Amino acid sequence: VYAKMQYLVSCEIDEDILLEVIKMGFDRSQLTESLCSRVQNEATIAYYLLIDNHFRATSGYLGAKFQESMWVGIPTLANSVAMV
């Protein structure tokens, strides 16, 4: 039991992302235990998808300038109608 508790204590979990998953209706203690035990279930998948989305948004994945330039190159509906 002590080894299991020690493992849970050493498990690093992003508290903000954890709270987002809890808001989705998942149980905090079950989610925490599943994350630390590396169990794959709906709650942990939601957690990892949010983590991935968070880090892509904050790390400049593909670069924010690249993403902005993609929007500049995509014609808007108003421009498309005007061109016709």
Side-chain angles (χ1 to χ4, degrees):
V1 173
Y2 176 75
K4 183 177 180 181
M5 291 302 293
Q6 187 66 23
Y7 182 70
L8 291 175
V9 169
S10 67
C11 180
E12 291 184 31
I13 298 175
D14 185 298
E15 187 67 23
D16 294 332
I17 302 297
L18 183 73
L19 291 175
E20 286 186 48
V21 177
I22 292 168
K23 287 179 188 176
M24 293 178 185
F26 294 102
D27 179 68
R28 181 187 187 97
S29 61
Q30 184 179 10
L31 174 58
T32 305
E33 186 173 338
S34 294
L35 287 168
C36 291
S37 302
R38 298 181 182 242
V39 173
Q40 184 176 340
N41 55 36
E42 290 180 1
T44 58
I45 290 171
Y47 176 86
Y48 288 119
L49 286 172
L50 287 171
I51 283 281
D52 186 53
N53 189 40
H54 175 76
F55 282 114
R56 285 183 187 206
T58 59
S59 69
Y61 178 75
L62 294 180
K65 290 182 181 181
F66 175 76
Q67 290 175 345
E68 288 174 12
S69 68
M70 296 250 326
W71 285 108
V72 171
I74 298 173
T76 62
L77 182 58
N79 290 343
S80 298
V81 173
M83 296 173 69
V84 173

